[in-house]
Amino acid sequence: MDAELFDCLQVNLAAHADRLHGAGTHLLLGAGLRFRPAPGPLGLPTVERGVRAQLTEATRRLGLVAGEPHTAASAADLTPADGCYVVADAFHLPWLPYHRQRHMEHSFLLENDGTDGVLIRDSYHNETPWGIARPGRWTLTRQEFAAAVPGPALAVRLRAAQPGAGHGGPPAAAEPETDFADPSAVDAYADAYRQHPDRAAALTRLTLETWLLARARELHAAYLCHTGRLPDGDALQAHLTAWKKLTEQVYLAHRRVERGRPEPQGLTDRLAALLHADPRLFGHGAEPASAASAARKTEPRPPGVPEGLRRAVAATAARVLGTDEATLLAGAAFDSVPSFSSFRVVEIVERLESELGIEFAADDLAPENLHHVDAVCRVVQRSNDGGAPRALALDGEGR
């Protein structure tokens, strides 16, 4: 299962459906694609869906029957069992990078381990500022589990729908469905993030929003591919790439504003353009130029870039990405390296600023400027009003 397609509430519903009905069942959760933002925190609209909405969607799509959700006061009130789906505070869950870092709802499956402990199954896959989350199984003692769930948690028992029981048995492929808000709602959504006075808070929230939006579109595309309905041509893939790049750029902006630096312009314009393009792209229409251009824009190798600068940039990027410097100097894109993520881009930018004594201009922090050695060199040369980077032999072989 490609766990990167799901958020932290969906993923364990999808994983359990695969266990019950077979590999590939999880993709049925991508049959529908929607954009219906609702009021959210800080007066900002959100596409984030709560656990009850996720359960409703999963029982509709995945051949699952969910018992009545109940709130347990603590770990002592949770009974491990096959299909015991639990949502608790990630801040206390020791197998996650969010442990002691961030409060947020997170799901897992709670089972007996055959002894006096408990078995945790969690298929979540993500990178975070505090480390990586990867699918796995963890055995905790009862004491460890009590510390992991010290307060309220929501628990639901999941089982397979059975033929003849009014649920239809194992699920079958469904016709793809889309439910998109009208263009005025798209503009209102983007405007809310553009105009919010607390820029740090707005970008923190927009980081989550674009991450959710991009994953939902990747999941829907995976379902279309699985069922042979993926449109021909490169337009949809270009659109998905543009969503990934927007997610990366929003995270970069979030980190910059956190550090008191200027915010790149045009983020919400890109967001609105991609949302406006969704109905046409996922409705098998022609490729909208605005979405495709964001994905395909590339930077030619800038003339006259000193070899010392190219090597300095490549060396820094290679250390961050854990790859070979020569590969990057030969033209390999940073996002072709398996370890690449938006977190690595931020690290490359911040290291280069520190090592070269420069500050990247806010409007240069676009993915098309930060995925190749020569594109980054162009940005470096523009930084600090064209001043030479510190301690770098621009006309030599490097430092």
Side-chain angles (χ1 to χ4, degrees):
M1 188 179 90
D2 186 354
E4 288 185 271
L5 297 172
F6 301 95
D7 66 36
C8 63
L9 298 182
Q10 292 174 318
V11 68
N12 290 306
L13 296 167
H16 193 61
D18 267 24
R19 290 176 64 194
L20 294 175
H21 297 304
T25 305
H26 64 278
L27 289 172
L28 294 170
L29 209 52
L33 179 63
R34 68 196 304 271
F35 176 72
R36 292 286 175 183
L42 306 173
L44 291 165
T46 182
V47 296
E48 187 175 20
R49 304 179 76 191
V51 62
R52 292 180 186 272
Q54 300 279 25
L55 283 167
T56 298
E57 185 77 358
T59 54
R60 176 188 173 201
R61 304 276 187 197
L62 297 178
L64 299 175
V65 176
E68 184 64 27
H70 69 280
T71 300
S74 67
D77 297 321
L78 292 170
T79 303
D82 184 53
C84 180
Y85 172 86
V86 178
V87 176
D89 187 351
F91 185 83
H92 302 290
L93 303 179
W95 62 90
L96 292 174
Y98 304 115
H99 184 237
R100 302 299 179 193
Q101 297 291 343
R102 184 178 174 188
H103 292 281
M104 58 181 286
E105 287 188 330
H106 188 87
S107 75
F108 58 90
L109 295 166
L110 174 64
E111 302 176 5
N112 288 301
D113 75 338
T115 64
D116 290 334
V118 298
L119 175 64
I120 304 294
R121 294 182 186 268
D122 188 353
S123 295
Y124 188 54
H125 187 295
N126 196 22
E127 295 210 21
T128 82
W130 309 285
I132 61 172
R134 292 293 183 266
R137 296 161 33 132
W138 295 265
T139 299
L140 304 183
T141 66
R142 289 286 179 169
Q143 184 177 8
E144 289 170 334
F145 185 56
V149 187
L154 189 75
V156 182
R157 183 70 182 275
L158 304 173
R159 59 183 177 85
Q162 298 298 319
H167 301 292
E175 285 294 319
E177 301 173 12
T178 55
D179 180 20
F180 296 117
D182 61 40
S184 63
V186 168
D187 291 337
Y189 177 82
D191 285 344
Y193 284 91
R194 180 186 296 114
Q195 297 168 4
H196 196 276
D198 187 337
R199 300 314 300 154
L203 287 169
T204 297
R205 188 71 205 178
L206 191 58
T207 298
L208 173 62
E209 292 290 306
T210 52
W211 183 86
L212 290 169
L213 288 163
R215 285 204 173 196
R217 281 140 188 78
E218 289 280 353
L219 176 58
H220 188 60
Y223 180 76
L224 295 178
C225 184
H226 178 68
T227 56
R229 296 178 172 91
L230 194 69
D232 292 332
D234 298 329
L236 183 55
Q237 189 54 54
H239 186 62
L240 295 173
T241 299
W243 270 110
K244 288 180 181 177
K245 288 185 175 181
L246 176 64
T247 302
E248 178 186 321
Q249 190 180 14
V250 169
Y251 179 67
L252 274 164
H254 158 61
R255 283 292 296 264
R256 304 294 279 188
V257 171
E258 267 191 334
R259 298 172 64 193
R261 294 185 175 181
E263 175 183 343
Q265 299 303 301
L267 292 178
T268 52
D269 292 337
R270 286 192 177 203
L271 172 64
L274 291 173
L275 288 169
H276 282 304
D278 277 343
R280 186 177 294 182
L281 265 295
F282 288 104
H284 301 239
E287 179 181 16
S290 60
S293 62
R296 288 200 299 258
K297 183 178 179 183
T298 58
E299 288 280 343
R301 179 170 176 174
V305 174
E307 189 61 22
L309 176 57
R310 295 189 76 243
R311 291 189 178 186
V313 169
T316 296
R319 285 196 301 272
V320 171
L321 297 172
T323 191
D324 181 57
E325 180 180 335
T327 300
L328 301 182
L329 283 169
F334 297 170
D335 56 3
S336 69
V337 180
S339 63
F340 176 87
S341 72
S342 57
F343 298 100
R344 303 291 80 77
V345 172
V346 168
E347 189 175 350
I348 291 169
V349 168
E350 292 179 353
R351 284 197 186 190
L352 285 172
E353 287 183 322
S354 174
E355 292 168 3
L356 302 182
I358 62 172
E359 181 174 329
F360 282 35
D363 289 342
D364 277 333
L365 296 175
E368 55 265 26
N369 294 335
L370 303 174
H371 285 195
H372 295 82
V373 166
D374 291 315
V376 174
C377 287
R378 182 189 293 275
V379 175
V380 170
Q381 288 181 308
R382 286 197 294 264
S383 300
N384 286 7
D385 297 322
R390 180 183 66 204
L392 184 64
L394 291 177
D395 55 355
E397 293 301 310
R399 289 186 289 177

